[in-house]
Amino acid sequence: AQSVTQLDSQVPVFEEAPVELRCNYSSSVSVYLFWYVQYPNQGLQLLLKYLSGSTLVKGINGFEAEFNKSQTSFHLRKPSVHISDTAEYFCAVRSNDYKLSFGAGTTVTVRA
Amino acid sequence: SQTIHQWPATLVQPVGSPLSLECTVEGTSNPNLYWYRQAAGRGLQLLFYSIGIDQISSEVPQNLSASRPQDRQFILSSKKLLLSDSGFYLCAWEETTEAFFGQGTRLTVV
């Protein structure tokens, strides 16, 4: 069975501080990995994705994520956050049978 | 360009009534299609996904069903709604591994 675990439901952080959002997955097959973001009162949009190749993936708005196959993790990071990064972040896994599963989400609140 | 339409945006239905939520995609062919329910603190729960007409996988046993009568149309249905079916339902389609979401339907069962 395929599942996605986001280890932190809420992450408060001060502006210009770094942030890391943790994601672990379980799957018996090869997967593609994603991070999506949902800003308040908006739909989901893709931040970044890992399909193959380099395990360090860079996305929009200064975010990056690292795929670790041995630890089955795909943690998201940003070295310096802005108030505008306040949003809910979702980790997702897509297996080769096209099943696309999401984690429960992490709410990031950036404070001045 | 590709677009996804989902309707209605809001719906209030009595317990025991039927449900039909429709999702259509324009500008692409043979898309992978998905139905999710989004709840606070629970993320997006995958309900059904489809890789082609009459090819539908169900992820969660429940009071809902899905159909794909045409290539770019995905319908979520119920014969008799329960109070627990209330929620926010999202349709999505996938192309080259990126998913695009509809605006969602807020369903309230009363």
Side-chain angles (χ1 to χ4, degrees), chain B residues 7 9 23 43-44 53 60-61 64 67 75 85-86 90 93 96 103:
Chain B
W7 69 92
C23 173
L44 278 71
I53 292 177
V60 183
L64 300 169
S67 61
I75 297 172
D85 292 323
S86 294
L90 279 169
W93 70 279
T96 58
Q103 291 302 302

Side-chain angles (χ1 to χ4, degrees), chain B residues 63-104:
Chain B
N63 187 40
L64 300 169
S65 62
S67 61
R68 187 168 176 172
Q70 300 180 38
D71 179 46
R72 290 173 287 177
Q73 184 184 31
F74 203 25
I75 297 172
L76 184 68
S77 304
S78 173
K79 292 182 179 179
K80 290 185 178 181
L81 283 169
L82 306 171
L83 287 173
S84 58
D85 292 323
S86 294
F88 188 64
Y89 291 84
L90 279 169
C91 178
W93 70 279
E94 182 205 48
E95 181 183 67
T96 58
T97 73
E98 180 171 352
F100 299 90
F101 292 84
Q103 291 302 302

Side-chain angles (χ1 to χ4, degrees), chain A residues 1-87:
Chain A
Q2 178 176 302
S3 68
V4 184
T5 302
Q6 290 184 241
L7 298 163
D8 308 291
S9 59
Q10 309 241 1
V11 175
V13 58
F14 286 106
E15 194 173 20
E16 298 183 6
V19 71
E20 178 180 79
L21 307 184
R22 297 177 293 167
C23 174
N24 286 88
Y25 69 93
S26 64
S27 177
S28 58
V29 298
S30 298
V31 296
Y32 300 141
L33 299 160
F34 308 83
W35 277 96
Y36 283 81
V37 61
Q38 186 173 33
Y39 297 105
N41 300 312
Q42 293 188 29
L44 282 88
Q45 66 181 84
L46 182 67
L47 262 183
L48 48 79
K49 60 184 175 183
Y50 171 79
L51 305 181
S52 65
S54 172
T55 58
L56 183 62
V57 179
K58 294 189 183 298
I60 62 171
N61 300 338
F63 284 92
E64 63 181 30
E66 186 155 20
F67 170 55
N68 187 317
K69 187 174 182 179
S70 62
Q71 297 185 8
T72 59
S73 67
F74 191 53
H75 300 335
L76 179 71
R77 303 184 184 95
K78 185 170 182 177
S80 175
V81 297
H82 303 291
I83 297 289
S84 59
D85 292 320
T86 294

Side-chain angles (χ1 to χ4, degrees), chain B residues 10-59:
Chain B
T10 59
L11 190 60
V12 179
Q13 292 283 99
V15 169
S17 64
L19 173 73
S20 180
L21 302 181
E22 189 163 341
C23 173
T24 59
V25 180
E26 296 178 355
T28 187
S29 60
N30 198 30
N32 298 327
L33 296 171
Y34 303 83
W35 277 110
Y36 294 91
R37 180 162 52 204
Q38 184 176 16
R42 297 182 62 184
L44 278 71
Q45 180 186 33
L46 178 61
L47 303 176
F48 301 93
Y49 68 103
S50 171
I51 63 172
I53 292 177
D54 296 330
Q55 294 179 277
I56 298 171
S57 298
S58 173
E59 286 301 302

